[in-house]
Amino acid sequence: MSIPKPTAGELELLQALWPLGPSTAKQVHEAMLADKPDLAYGTVLRLMQIMHTKGILTRDESQRSHIYAPAQPQDALQNSLLKDLMQKAFAGSAKALVLAALRTGISKKERDEIEKLLKEDKQ
């Protein structure tokens, strides 16, 4: 069974959870407050419960405060989402996707990193 694609809100929560590692809803809520100071704890908890039901998060219920973790690693989910985007928006063309990304405006630092990566790949 494949894990469903997360919604925008679920992705936002995953972005907070990935660097934390397995965490309680309270820990995730505190991490998300920096960007969303009005975010209610109950909203985070409910979203995490929904994500667990959908299979996006796992839950360890052995302690009083349940510990949640992503059901798949960050790179695996990002690769899956990228492949899906490439198929849907760019007719399966990786080249078209990369060119669109480069045209949307990247920083000089990012461009230098990409060029370095491409040079290393040639060697």
Side-chain angles (χ1 to χ4, degrees), residues 5 76-88 90 97:
K5 302 284 185 252
L77 179 60
Q78 288 174 334
N79 286 339
S80 174
L81 293 172
L82 185 62
K83 286 177 186 175
D84 190 48
L85 175 65
M86 187 169 59
Q87 288 301 319
K88 289 180 180 177
F90 297 95
L97 181 140

Side-chain angles (χ1 to χ4, degrees), residues 8-88:
E10 292 167 347
L11 264 176
E12 192 173 350
L13 189 139
L14 283 168
Q15 293 291 346
L17 182 57
W18 278 319
L20 292 174
S23 304
T24 64
K26 181 181 179 184
Q27 291 168 320
V28 174
H29 175 247
E30 288 171 357
M32 294 181 77
L33 282 176
D35 292 328
K36 293 188 154 216
D38 296 333
L39 183 64
Y41 167 77
T43 302
V44 172
L45 176 61
R46 184 71 188 125
L47 184 56
M48 292 179 83
Q49 291 169 336
I50 291 167
M51 291 170 72
H52 172 256
T53 302
K54 291 168 75 174
I56 297 170
L57 297 180
T58 61
R59 180 171 63 198
D60 176 358
E61 299 176 7
S62 64
Q63 301 176 38
R64 182 168 166 19
S65 294
H66 297 166
I67 306 294
Y68 292 87
Q72 64 185 143
Q74 181 176 2
D75 60 340
L77 179 60
Q78 288 174 334
N79 286 339
S80 174
L81 293 172
L82 185 62
K83 286 177 186 175
D84 190 48
L85 175 65
M86 187 169 59
Q87 288 301 319
K88 289 180 180 177

